[in-house]
Amino acid sequence: MSHPIDFNVSLSEPVRAYFGADIARQLYPGHTHIVGFGFDGTACFRKGTRHGPDGLRSISEDIEAYSPYQDYDLEDFTFYDLGNLELGDKADVEAQWQHACDDFNRIFSKVDLAAEDIRIMTLGGEHSVSYAPIVKYLQQYPDLVLLHLDAHADLRDGFEGYHFSHASIIRRVLDHFGPDHELIQYGIRSGTREEYRWMHENKTVRTSRKDFLESVTAIARDRPIYLTLDLDYFDPSFLPGTGTPEPGGEDFHSFVSLIKLLGERNLVGCDIVELSPKIDPTGNSDVFAAKIARELLITMQKGRQE
């Protein structure tokens, strides 16, 4: 096993360690690392996702660490919580986003994720926070499959004056796609005519659960997969605590079907974004999102028992 990898970036302490993770200021080869990116500066409807990372952490140790769907427990593994990226001291929204992205890149700039077997779970924050981790993974894995679960296409060239808006995250990461990268989108039920035309012309969108799960099944078992999960993918009757809810979404059991497939494949990284804890005062959305995170952590950690 390689030695821990130092990085010289200041992150703020999390409200509590995620699901009992070890708090770390180094990167540990062969393990999964959690980093929070609490930012909602470009959110165009209801803000509050800046509280998402610590909202997930706050509830995490109050639910079971054991997954009955995968027969694994988070206590079976060692994983690390790096804390939250800081936004800097400028009032400008774009400067805050750039400050945190720059720090993310400084943390992981000298790390070969594949060679060191380091996997990252980023907790948002609005969907624009996914830019830095997705671009890192695209650079490191030339044959990466990007799974995009979302209510929205996120293919606008910009929105409300922001080039890197949460409504344009997929458009922006496509700027970094190579010839062997692949995008698969599912859950999309809101977007412009132009966005829908692009998705159909490029055959990225799946319009039924059956087609989506068959597409995941067809991915070679050793091919790297990155999942970017906007929680408004789920129907707001199940998860109302998100900034841009859209009726007609998926439920938890459909996600379990996906997890069972990903558990047999090579999930190398993920992000979970758009949780806005204060919108749902019942706390149900936090619990829902924390269980999603539990399943993804276990999926990435499988095969790493010490």
Side-chain angles (χ1 to χ4, degrees), residues 140-156:
Q140 297 270 287
Y141 293 94
D143 59 341
L144 187 78
V145 178
L146 177 61
L147 294 185
H148 172 216
L149 302 186
D150 202 326
H152 307 90
D154 290 352
L155 287 165
R156 301 171 191 242

Side-chain angles (χ1 to χ4, degrees), residues 146-207:
L146 177 61
L147 294 185
H148 172 216
L149 302 186
D150 202 326
H152 307 90
D154 290 352
L155 287 165
R156 301 171 191 242
D157 195 34
F159 193 65
E160 295 188 343
Y162 296 112
H163 189 58
F164 291 92
S165 166
H166 74 141
S168 55
I169 173 62
I170 300 302
R171 175 66 179 270
R172 294 282 70 82
V173 300
L174 284 170
D175 296 338
H176 300 269
F177 262 49
D180 295 321
H181 290 136
E182 182 179 357
L183 171 64
I184 298 175
Q185 298 173 280
Y186 178 59
I188 314 298
R189 52 197 186 276
S190 181
T192 66
R193 178 176 292 163
E194 291 74 20
E195 288 176 295
Y196 271 89
R197 182 176 294 128
W198 187 93
M199 289 188 293
H200 288 300
E201 287 177 354
N202 289 276
K203 298 180 172 57
T204 63
V205 69
R206 306 297 183 267
T207 55

Side-chain angles (χ1 to χ4, degrees), residues 112-129:
D112 185 327
L113 297 178
E116 299 288 355
D117 193 19
I118 286 176
R119 304 188 177 193
I120 309 166
M121 171 183 281
T122 304
L123 304 178
E126 60 165 67
H127 211 162
S128 69
V129 309

Side-chain angles (χ1 to χ4, degrees), residues 32-134:
T32 298
H33 299 72
I34 298 165
V35 61
F37 192 160
F39 172 79
D40 60 5
T42 79
C44 54
F45 184 31
R46 304 186 298 189
K47 293 188 184 292
T49 57
R50 64 186 179 277
H51 303 296
D54 276 346
L56 276 162
R57 290 183 176 102
S58 294
I59 202 70
S60 64
E61 290 188 14
D62 297 315
I63 64 176
E64 289 80 4
Y66 172 72
S67 167
Y69 312 105
Q70 303 191 73
D71 192 23
Y72 278 93
D73 194 302
L74 286 174
E75 294 181 358
D76 298 335
F77 311 109
T78 299
F79 56 102
Y80 298 93
D81 193 332
L82 303 180
N84 294 320
L85 296 164
E86 297 185 348
L87 303 180
D89 55 7
K90 294 183 179 179
D92 178 69
V93 163
E94 291 178 299
Q96 293 175 0
W97 179 87
Q98 190 65 58
H99 185 282
C101 285
D102 289 345
D103 274 357
F104 181 95
N105 290 330
R106 276 190 283 269
I107 293 169
F108 297 102
S109 61
K110 297 180 181 179
V111 178
D112 185 327
L113 297 178
E116 299 288 355
D117 193 19
I118 286 176
R119 304 188 177 193
I120 309 166
M121 171 183 281
T122 304
L123 304 178
E126 60 165 67
H127 211 162
S128 69
V129 309
S130 305
Y131 178 79
I134 293 175

Side-chain angles (χ1 to χ4, degrees), residues 1-19:
M1 182 68 69
S2 301
H3 295 294
I5 301 167
D6 293 320
F7 60 84
N8 187 26
V9 173
S10 175
L11 293 96
S12 61
E13 287 286 330
V15 65
R16 70 194 295 184
Y18 192 76
F19 262 122

